[in-house]
Amino acid sequence: MPPPSPPPPSSPQPAPPHPPADGLLSAARRNVRDFAHALSHPSHPPTPLLAGAPKSWQRLLPYVVVLALAAVFIPVTVTVLAGQYHLDGGLAGALAVAQAAPLLMLAHRPLQAWWIIFPAHILGAVVLLGQDGGQGAAWPWTPPGLIGYLFLLLALGLRERRRTLAAVWLATGTAGLVLFLVSPEHGTDNSLLLLILGAVVLVIGATVRERGDAQRRLAEQETISEAERAQRTLLEERTRIARELHDVVAHHMSVITVQADSAPYRLEGLSDQAREEFGSIAASARESLAEMRRLLTVLRSEGTEGERAPQPGLDRLQQLVEATVRAGLPAELSLPAGLAGIPQTVDLSAYRIVQEALANVVRHAPGARTRVSISSDGAHLTVLVVNDPPERTGSSLAPRTPVETAGTGHGLVGMRERVRLTGGTLDTGPLPDGGFRVAARLPLPPAAPPAAAASVPLPPPEDS
């Protein structure tokens, strides 16, 4: 009988998993280093609390509070240590100063104050441990020391980050546990009470601080967003003005092209050199028109087309005011007859300023009586739009509700750009009676003197 075959070799067993002890130790060491760094490095510069408050009494309030805390807790702590715990007067005074005087630092350096107050309380608990008079009294935190420490924790919660607050709370709880284990029967232990109250105070302080930080960030973001909106509105208005200017300039360039092309047929006896000059003028005008059209494609948004209707001017103001009256706004127009020779740029700008001013009245002062006045002294065109306060509703004294309660000022941005385009001035602002005034002064080109007047010679002065 053949001998039994040897059993097949067993497959190698996988190695046991690496014990997690090393990972836990490294994580613990890392957390200890983080907590130590948080306790030794304040998260804010030594600026006083409420340093950015708008009023002086608000900026002085933290100093008044810390002075009051120090003035109250130093004598109270001396009295409690000497009377209730039967400490020597000198030792009681030294402990009271070490535990309460650093409260003066809460306004600007609360973490540094904690590094003084916390060891002073531990030292005081050790001193009280050897005193017979302390039996049955609160320990290891004296009543004034516990209340003062809560003020310290509140100041920390208002200034430091969460990791620092957690490190302070853990250090406080660890110290209380060690003192309890050293003398569990000494007096009435209040370490747990301080641990609970301290957590509540730290959470309140941190919540107030984080809420204030969030409000400041929100205000900064709103300021940035408003600035970006104003800049975007400014750019959009400039683009719109550029498109309208294209229509104005294109009209004149087209006229020049037509005149230059038709001059050889309208004028008799032109030389070949003059005909070539007119042809060169027409070619240059057509090239300029082509360049403007290429630039206009850059200014226009995608999907938009050029405006085919002629640009409005002062001759359209009557229609604009009538449309405003039909919308429920009592408006009057004063437009002198015979306003001729106004450049198209000024004409268009004046119309747009009146249009935007009336739109603002409709949005912000519905029902307000409005007066539109256009005048000219030959050198300037004055555009004036003045509205009264909003109309009262019925028999009540309350004004009508505006369409928009908060303006963005974007319409005024467009007005300023149009006035600056013509080299004029703009004055806007509320009136004492609650109305609003928009006044634009646009310069006009000087009128050319009559040719006949220039050719008439002046008579010589008579000899006296």
Side-chain angles (χ1 to χ4, degrees):
M1 184 175 181
S5 59
S10 60
S11 60
Q13 297 294 328
H18 189 73
D22 293 342
L24 293 177
L25 289 176
S26 62
R29 286 194 296 267
R30 184 171 59 255
N31 289 330
V32 170
R33 286 195 302 268
D34 292 343
F35 283 142
H37 183 271
L39 288 175
S40 59
H41 293 78
S43 60
H44 65 90
T47 55
L49 192 65
L50 301 182
K55 298 182 180 179
S56 58
W57 70 267
Q58 294 175 341
R59 295 191 295 270
L60 292 176
L61 183 60
Y63 295 101
V64 175
V65 172
V66 297
L67 283 173
L69 290 177
V72 170
F73 280 104
I74 290 177
V76 170
T77 304
V78 172
T79 303
V80 171
L81 290 177
Q84 184 176 355
Y85 293 89
H86 306 295
L87 282 183
D88 179 69
L91 182 58
L95 285 176
V97 170
Q99 294 175 2
L103 294 175
L104 295 170
M105 303 170 59
L106 297 188
H108 56 288
R109 297 179 183 272
L111 187 59
Q112 290 85 339
W114 180 82
W115 276 105
I116 301 174
I117 295 176
F118 180 65
H121 278 293
I122 302 302
L123 178 61
V126 174
V127 171
L128 295 180
L129 188 61
Q131 296 293 320
D132 295 335
Q135 298 291 340
W139 186 88
W141 306 90
T142 61
L146 188 145
I147 298 175
Y149 196 80
L150 291 178
F151 277 103
L152 171 62
L153 295 181
L154 179 61
L156 287 171
L158 293 174
R159 302 302 295 272
E160 298 297 332
R161 55 184 181 269
R162 292 184 179 182
R163 185 180 295 275
T164 304
L165 302 183
V168 168
W169 186 77
L170 289 176
T172 303
T174 302
L177 178 60
V178 171
L179 291 174
F180 175 79
L181 295 177
V182 170
S183 180
E185 301 297 333
H186 188 91
T188 303
D189 187 273
N190 54 9
S191 299
L192 182 60
L193 176 63
L194 178 61
L195 199 63
I196 296 174
L197 293 179
V200 173
V201 170
L202 288 175
V203 169
I204 293 175
T207 302
V208 172
R209 175 183 56 81
E210 292 177 358
R211 183 174 182 271
D213 292 342
Q215 289 179 341
R216 281 192 296 271
R217 287 193 296 269
L218 180 60
E220 293 174 357
Q221 187 61 39
E222 289 178 350
T223 303
I224 295 173
S225 300
E226 182 61 30
E228 291 177 350
R229 284 195 297 269
Q231 183 67 19
R232 184 169 61 251
T233 302
L234 180 62
L235 295 177
E236 291 174 354
E237 187 64 24
R238 288 180 178 178
T239 303
R240 179 184 175 188
I241 293 173
R243 291 197 299 264
E244 293 175 348
L245 277 179
H246 165 267
D247 298 335
V248 173
V249 178
H251 166 72
H252 295 292
M253 295 298 294
S254 300
V255 172
I256 293 174
T257 304
V258 172
Q259 289 178 340
D261 282 334
S262 62
Y265 305 98
R266 292 182 291 104
L267 303 177
E268 297 180 357
L270 290 179
S271 63
D272 293 340
Q273 185 178 3
R275 293 176 182 274
E276 292 178 359
E277 187 68 23
F278 278 117
S280 176
I281 293 174
S284 298
R286 280 191 290 269
E287 184 179 356
S288 298
L289 282 174
E291 288 290 338
M292 279 196 302
R293 290 191 183 96
R294 282 194 291 269
L295 289 176
L296 188 62
T297 58
V298 178
L299 294 176
R300 293 192 189 279
S301 303
E302 294 183 1
T304 60
E305 297 181 357
E307 298 178 0
R308 303 182 183 276
Q311 295 296 333
L314 295 178
D315 56 339
R316 299 268 298 275
L317 280 183
Q318 184 67 35
Q319 302 176 15
L320 177 64
V321 173
E322 291 176 356
T324 306
V325 172
R326 289 194 298 270
L329 184 72
E332 303 172 358
L333 173 63
S334 174
L335 181 64
L339 280 179
I342 297 179
Q344 194 166 358
T345 303
V346 177
D347 196 30
L348 175 61
S349 297
Y351 178 87
R352 293 300 188 195
I353 290 172
V354 174
Q355 184 183 40
E356 183 60 37
L358 291 177
N360 287 340
V361 176
V362 172
R363 287 195 296 264
H364 304 293
R369 183 169 298 277
T370 306
R371 293 171 295 280
V372 180
S373 174
I374 308 295
S375 61
S376 173
D377 58 1
H380 293 86
L381 180 72
T382 302
V383 180
L384 183 63
V385 182
V386 180
N387 65 273
D388 295 338
E391 183 186 25
R392 307 288 176 176
T393 56
S395 60
S396 65
L397 298 179
R400 294 174 59 180
T401 303
V403 179
E404 295 182 9
T405 57
T408 60
H410 294 171
L412 296 179
V413 172
M415 292 184 191
R416 292 190 185 96
E417 282 300 302
R418 297 208 174 257
V419 171
R420 192 171 72 171
L421 169 70
T422 60
T425 58
L426 178 68
D427 181 24
T428 62
L431 297 175
D433 61 353
F436 200 84
R437 174 176 179 267
V438 175
R441 188 174 173 85
L442 310 178
L444 297 175
S455 62
V456 176
L458 295 176
E462 299 178 359
D463 296 334
S464 56

